[in-house]
């Protein structure tokens, strides 16, 4: 049993609050991705769990045991660093063996475990090499082998794929998911890459400025972002966010008036939650927009990006807001400076409303 | 003007010649820029260096005023096998053996102690490195006073060897070595501190999570990762220690009864040149010192580079 829990955990560096009252539960065997932009406190949260930083307030527990004052070596966690942190003067075999040696394991047991870990990660032929003789992907696998060989209660991974090239990253993230699935070890995985988070995590915890914004499954997070930060951060590109106001249509239907047009809103609004004068932020994913001569919105095209299978048409609304339309690469492409009209998917799930003041979600999840 | 006419005008000059002329011009400019440095090095380093080889071939009569005469290589063997020289060589080796390891170990210990994120640690770093800016004369006067049998620190602590440390055949060399160690400590601390800065924190953190205690982290991680720095510090301080002169000259002098026990090579060379007026023998000893330093450096590089781990 290795459930991890953060209860009201705060970390301050002088006057700076890096992690602010973090409450987070990671059930046994789950791969939870801590996602956020640079400086949001995600790595600090990971280091607090590893014991590399001291908690200012709150408690951290691993498997029900409070570990605030427990030395890192006694927390039974293994960590994979962004730079891999391989010991450059030791061979691959000695690197993998190092944590076992520190625990005083017998030589033959160590050798068997190193062999098993090396086989799992395809390092059999590299055991006598030094880290400097390995490629980035091989180093990454050695770091993983060093982590799994100990069979710890918790894996901690601090952006382990960020130094790999794009193709290798895709391959390795699938390998890590498969490995974690097989070992069923509770894993806290830190990344700033939302694609990595979406593809790897059982659940994703989004952080911003030291504060946990939302914890949910990737699907839920994408479909029902709790606030504009999560909405804009998740998705590639993120959700379009247009400031506007809610008004009543002649038939009693809710209309959202934004710069560039009026969009009928298909869902029931919680009117009591609206800010002053019905000021809202309308959120629409790029894939829920399409170029349509009869569309309710108009905007100017600034750039057209061809990404192979799809095209991103980046537009600017009359108030200067950015609006991205995702369409198939086969669809007709407008040219920069063209004026286009844009339609919104009428599916109620395609539109999201956020309070303009609090930036929190208004539409029911 | 059309493109064709430009080509016509360019074509008579062969490309190769243009390139050669350009290279010659660049080389000329390079030598011009190098000239000031060459003049300084030539005057104060290369000329004395080669002049030294010439001096080795001449013997100066013991009576002042008489001209030196050419003896070729005949005075080399008698000089390097003389008791004065061999004793001086042994004294220097003992001195180096005392100074180099102690100053490096202390420098490393202080660097490790100061390599933490604590409030006010910069003050300690400044104190630890301060000896590097104190001159040998100041250091010698300070330690001369501390070791003084009447007003010094040692008698105040109840340690009062007879005869006093700087006049004692057993303690004179260690006393001079202590001063030199103190002087080297600043440099050693700075070199080791710089080396520690280059050891990635993540490696030590990884080792910490992997179960290594502070002692293991130091011996199994810090020291191997610091080995290029240690290697450099050993070479530099060995060369410096072989060239020590000031402390012996100021604290012992050539009139002291313990002179022969602190007669390090450089001091012996200076004495041979100035007091005994024997430039030929002094030049031979200087050449031996040069060869020792050179071969030691080569040996250390060959031996240590096999054990050095470059991160």
């Amino acid at each position: 049993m290795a459930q991890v829990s953060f209860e009201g955990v705060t970390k301050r560096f002088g006057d700076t609050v890096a992690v602010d009252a973090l409450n987070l539960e990671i059930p046994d065997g789950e791969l939870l991705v801590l996602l956020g932009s640079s400086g949001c406190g995600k790595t600090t949260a990971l280091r607090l769990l590893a014991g590399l930083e001291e908690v200012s307030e709150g408690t951290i527990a691993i498997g029900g045991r409070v570990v605030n004052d427990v030395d890192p070596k006694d927390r039974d966690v293994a960590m994979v660093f962004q730079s891999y942190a391989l010991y450059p003067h030791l061979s691959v075999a000695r690197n993998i063996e190092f944590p076992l040696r520190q625990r005083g394991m017998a030589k033959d047991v160590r050798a068997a475990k190193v062999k098993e870990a090396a086989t799992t990660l395809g390092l059999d032929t590299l055991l006598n090499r030094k880290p400097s003789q390995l490629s980035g992907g091989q180093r990454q696998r050695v770091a993983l082998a060093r982590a799994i060989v100990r069979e710890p209660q918790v894996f901690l991974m601090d952006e382990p794929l960020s130094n790999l090239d794009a193709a290798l990253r895709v391959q390795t993230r699938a390998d890590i998911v498969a490995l974690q699935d097989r070992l069923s070890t509770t894993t806290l995985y830190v990344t700033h890459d939302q694609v990595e988070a979406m593809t790897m995590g059982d659940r994703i915890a989004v952080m911003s400025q030291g504060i946990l914004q939302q914890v949910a499954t990737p699907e839920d997070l994408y479909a029902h972002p709790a606030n504009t930060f999560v909405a804009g951060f998740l998705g590639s590109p993120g959700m379009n966010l247009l400031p506007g106001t809610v008004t009543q249509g002649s038939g009693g239907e809710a209309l959202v008036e934004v710069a560039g047009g009026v969009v009928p809103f298909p869902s029931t609004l919680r009117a009591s939650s609206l800010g002053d004068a019905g000021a809202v932020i309308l959120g629409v994913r790029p894939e829920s927009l399409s170029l349509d001569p009869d569309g309710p919105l108009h905007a100017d095209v600034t750039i057209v990006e061809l990404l192979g299978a799809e095209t991103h048409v980046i537009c600017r609304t009359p108030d200067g807001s950015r609006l991205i339309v995702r369409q198939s690469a086969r669809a007709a492409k407008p040219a920069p400076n063209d004026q286009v009209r844009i339609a919104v998917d009428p599916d109620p799930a395609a539109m999201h409303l956020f309070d303009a003041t609090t930036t929190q979600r208004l539409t029911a999840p | 003007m059309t493109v064709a006419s430009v080509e016509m005008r360019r074509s008579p000059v062969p490309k190769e010649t243009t390139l050669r002329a350009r290279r010659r011009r660049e080389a000329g400019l390079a030598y011009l820029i190098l000239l000031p440095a060459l003049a300084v090095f030539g005057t104060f380093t290369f000329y004395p260096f080669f002049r030294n080889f010439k001096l080795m071939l001449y013997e100066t009569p013991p009576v002042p005023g008489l001209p030196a005469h050419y003896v070729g290589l005949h005075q080399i063997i008698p000089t390097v096998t003389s008791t004065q020289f061999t004793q001086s060589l042994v004294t220097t080796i003992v001195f180096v053996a005392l100074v180099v390891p102690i100053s490096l170990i202390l420098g490393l210990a202080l660097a490790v102690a100061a390599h933490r994120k604590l409030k006010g640690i910069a003050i300690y770093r400044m104190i630890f490195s301060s000896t590097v800016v104190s001159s040998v004369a100041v250091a010698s006067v300070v330690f001369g006073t501390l070791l003084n049998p009447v007003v010094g620190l040692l008698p105040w602590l109840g340690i009062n060897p007879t005869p006093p440390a700087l006049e004692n055949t057993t303690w004179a060399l260690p006393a001079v070595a202590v001063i030199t160690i103190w002087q080297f400590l600043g440099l050693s601390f700075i070199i080791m501190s710089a080396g520690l800065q280059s050891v990635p924190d993540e490696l030590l953190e990884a080792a910490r999570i992997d179960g290594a205690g502070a002692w293991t982290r130091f011996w199994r991680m810090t020291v191997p990762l610091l080995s290029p720095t240690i290697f450099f510090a050993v070479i530099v301080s060995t060369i410096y220690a072989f060239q020590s002169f000031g402390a012996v000259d100021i604290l012992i002098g050539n009139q002291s009864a313990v002179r022969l026990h602190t007669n390090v090579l450089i001091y012996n060379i200076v004495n041979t040149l100035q007091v005994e007026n024997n430039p030929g023998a002094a030049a031979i000893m200087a050449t031996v010192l040069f060869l020792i330093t050179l071969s030691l450096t080569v040996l250390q590089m060959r031996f240590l580079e096999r054990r050095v781990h470059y991160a």
Side-chain angles (χ1 to χ4, degrees), chain A residues 47 51-52 72-73 77 79 81 83 85-89 94 98-99 102-103 146 150, chain B residues 202-213 216-217 220-221 224-225 309-311:
Chain A
R47 290 171 62 82
L52 297 173
K73 68 182 166 65
V77 298
M79 187 158 164
F81 289 81
S83 64
L86 298 181
Y87 310 128
H89 55 297
R94 295 289 295 274
F98 188 81
Q102 297 314 306
R103 275 160 180 74
R146 192 175 66 187
R150 280 175 47 192
Chain B
E202 283 195 344
L203 286 186
L204 300 175
E205 287 174 351
R208 203 172 154 204
I209 292 173
D210 282 345
T216 310
R217 288 201 300 275
R220 301 286 306 278
M221 295 293 143
L225 293 171
H309 305 290
Y310 289 95

Side-chain angles (χ1 to χ4, degrees), chain B residues 33-65:
Chain B
I33 293 168
L34 277 172
L35 203 60
L38 275 175
V40 171
F41 275 104
T43 310
F44 298 105
T45 305
F46 301 137
Y47 172 70
F49 181 76
F50 291 111
R51 177 68 200 261
N52 186 66
F53 288 109
K54 190 186 172 194
L55 285 175
M56 283 168 57
L57 309 176
Y58 288 84
E59 187 177 27
T60 307
V63 183

Side-chain angles (χ1 to χ4, degrees), chain A residues 123-155:
Chain A
L123 296 166
D124 305 73
T125 56
L126 307 173
L127 288 173
N128 293 321
R129 291 204 197 164
K130 291 275 173 67
S132 59
Q133 298 169 306
L134 303 177
S135 68
Q138 289 168 335
R139 287 180 202 191
Q140 209 274 344
R141 280 187 280 146
V142 176
L144 278 174
R146 192 175 66 187
I148 66 166
V149 76
R150 280 175 47 192
E151 298 169 22
Q153 281 195 301
V154 182
F155 285 140

